[in-house]
Amino acid sequence: MKFDFLSNTDKNYFIRKASTLVEALPYIRKHNGKKIVIKYGGHAMIDKNLSKSFSRDICLLKEVGMYPIIVHGGGPQIGKMLKKKNINTSFVDGLRVTDKNTVKIVEKVLSNDINKKIVNDINDNGGKAKGLKGNKNNFIKATKIIIPNKNSDSKIEKILDLGFVGEPKKISISIINQTLKDGLIPVIAPLGTDEMGNTYNINADTVAGAIAKSIKASKLLLLTDVAGILNKNKKLIPSLSINQAKKIINKDFIVGGMKPKITNCIEAISSGVKEATILDGRIPHSVILELFTEDGIGTQIYS
Ligand code: ADP
Ligand code: MG
């Protein structure tokens, strides 16, 4: 119905909606032309409604002049597929031990299933996305992660072998820049290759951090399945300076997957990324709330 014929309550509703749009103006200006790296994973990726709203949010960012770059995870989906195939899996310091069989599944789930789904979701919502796999076209060069075995007294077993688990050594930023130039939204699968051409599984937070660093992104957003960094009383820490973050990382209430997130935020900020935020992907439009409201959401780490 035309605005003029609505009840006063309905009129006020639409006026509030219009105000909300206009209130976004300073933030649209602030982020215009900026590259924003978003690690997308966990619950937000599995829930149908959330994944739809995420795709639309990403389309919105692009339409208002930002350059969103998505790096996705896939832990739960990989776990499910390994279970289905009766392949046992184990973790060391939050990293999945990845033998030859496991890396094949990891690659398949990340590249074929998840990457394609995110690209399709964005395209279905009117955006133009392009899937980029870290292990193709020399995109992400990886080195094998080596972890000292603290529990071993033996001289031979000083190192834990996690198999094909890597960390990014070199990222071909020209591949990302070309995708952006073509007007497309890059959707990146966290894989890499070594000199021999072997495929490696890389933690998606680490890939997102390394990409943010190398393309000089203005922001790094790590979506997760908790409110942000929680203190020892399980209360959200709204913001941390880089020095405070460095101190907190060794506390015993920071464990598992939260450790690499904080480490990567610290690394990115030390390399010139202005802000890094760990935020709750379970909240609809969390990316928009972070970018378009004054105090944002989650835990912000700043220099
Ligand atoms: P993601 O898919 O987002 O990478 P992870 O499981 O790897 O998920 O990392 C997020 C998890 O980190 C949380 O679900 C939580 O269990 C764990 N975690 C450990 N310490 C903390 C902390 N201090 N604050 C918040 N989460 C924490
Ligand atoms: Mg994780």
Side-chain angles (χ1 to χ4, degrees):
M1 198 195 289
K2 208 168 155 66
F3 180 81
D4 309 70
F5 301 113
L6 295 173
S7 70
N8 279 344
T9 317
D10 286 346
K11 274 183 180 169
N12 283 335
Y13 169 76
F14 283 107
I15 291 169
R16 269 204 313 277
K17 253 188 155 172
S19 310
T20 306
L21 268 176
V22 177
E23 277 160 25
L25 182 61
Y27 304 103
I28 294 175
R29 287 202 178 115
K30 176 181 169 193
H31 300 301
N32 190 277
K34 303 273 166 56
K35 293 171 184 163
I36 296 176
V37 177
I38 303 165
K39 166 7 189 20
Y40 178 43
H43 194 80
M45 212 161 66
I46 300 167
D47 183 290
K48 246 193 177 151
N49 290 329
L50 283 173
S51 64
K52 187 175 173 197
S53 75
F54 175 82
S55 308
R56 298 190 76 177
D57 293 351
I58 297 304
C59 292
L60 177 78
L61 302 188
K62 184 76 173 65
E63 292 297 336
V64 298
M66 300 176 207
Y67 294 104
I69 295 152
I70 317 296
V71 178
H72 62 82
Q77 293 93 325
I78 292 166
K80 230 171 148 182
M81 182 63 87
L82 290 170
K83 204 168 171 196
K84 205 170 139 191
K85 304 230 175 228
N86 282 322
I87 299 175
N88 285 329
T89 193
S90 60
F91 288 85
V92 176
D93 286 350
L95 301 170
R96 186 189 300 277
V97 179
T98 307
D99 64 11
K100 230 181 171 125
N101 278 334
T102 305
V103 80
K104 275 189 199 143
I105 307 245
V106 168
E107 184 190 3
K108 194 188 156 297
V109 173
L110 290 176
S111 298
N112 293 2
D113 305 344
I114 301 177
N115 193 274
K116 284 207 177 101
K117 183 183 179 299
I118 300 169
V119 169
N120 288 339
D121 279 352
I122 293 175
N123 293 347
D124 286 347
N125 283 289
K128 283 188 213 143
K130 182 177 182 183
L132 300 173
K133 287 92 188 176
N135 62 335
K136 298 283 180 248
N137 304 312
N138 292 319
F139 180 22
I140 299 176
K141 286 283 161 204
T143 44
K144 189 180 167 87
I145 287 188
I146 292 184
I147 295 192
N149 188 353
K150 289 170 233 145
N151 303 324
S152 173
D153 298 330
S154 152
K155 275 191 181 129
I156 306 156
E157 286 181 67
K158 275 236 161 90
I159 287 168
L160 283 173
D161 189 353
L162 305 183
F164 296 97
V165 180
E167 54 191 345
K169 184 171 73 173
K170 192 168 177 291
I171 290 169
S172 168
I173 55 169
S174 59
I175 294 182
I176 302 175
N177 284 331
Q178 188 56 51
T179 309
L180 297 177
K181 239 182 175 167
D182 294 339
L184 304 169
I185 299 165
V187 176
I188 300 165
L191 297 161
T193 46
D194 66 8
E195 268 115 60
M196 319 278 283
N198 296 308
T199 290
Y200 279 73
N201 178 15
I202 313 179
N203 177 285
D205 296 315
T206 310
V207 171
I211 287 177
K213 211 161 108 175
S214 56
I215 60 159
K216 304 199 183 332
S218 74
K219 251 184 178 288
L220 170 66
L221 305 183
L222 303 177
L223 268 65
T224 185
D225 58 358
V226 275
I229 306 174
L230 307 179
N231 66 18
K232 61 173 185 295
N233 301 317
K234 302 257 177 240
K235 288 258 155 40
L236 175 72
I237 304 173
S239 68
L240 285 172
S241 71
I242 190 166
N243 285 331
Q244 289 170 322
K246 279 179 187 163
K247 278 183 202 143
I248 221 175
I249 194 132
N250 294 317
K251 300 268 177 162
D252 53 10
F253 59 88
I254 306 286
V255 288
M258 193 46 67
K259 256 186 202 281
K261 283 186 208 301
I262 302 177
T263 311
N264 285 297
C265 289
I266 293 171
E267 277 260 320
I269 290 180
S270 311
S271 317
V273 176
K274 291 213 177 61
E275 288 164 358
T277 307
I278 298 169
L279 64 159
D280 195 341
R282 297 169 305 177
I283 296 176
H285 309 299
S286 54
V287 169
I288 303 292
L289 290 170
E290 166 56 11
L291 294 172
F292 293 84
T293 59
E294 178 153 5
D295 294 321
I297 66 170
T299 306
Q300 190 176 88
I301 301 177
Y302 56 93
S303 58

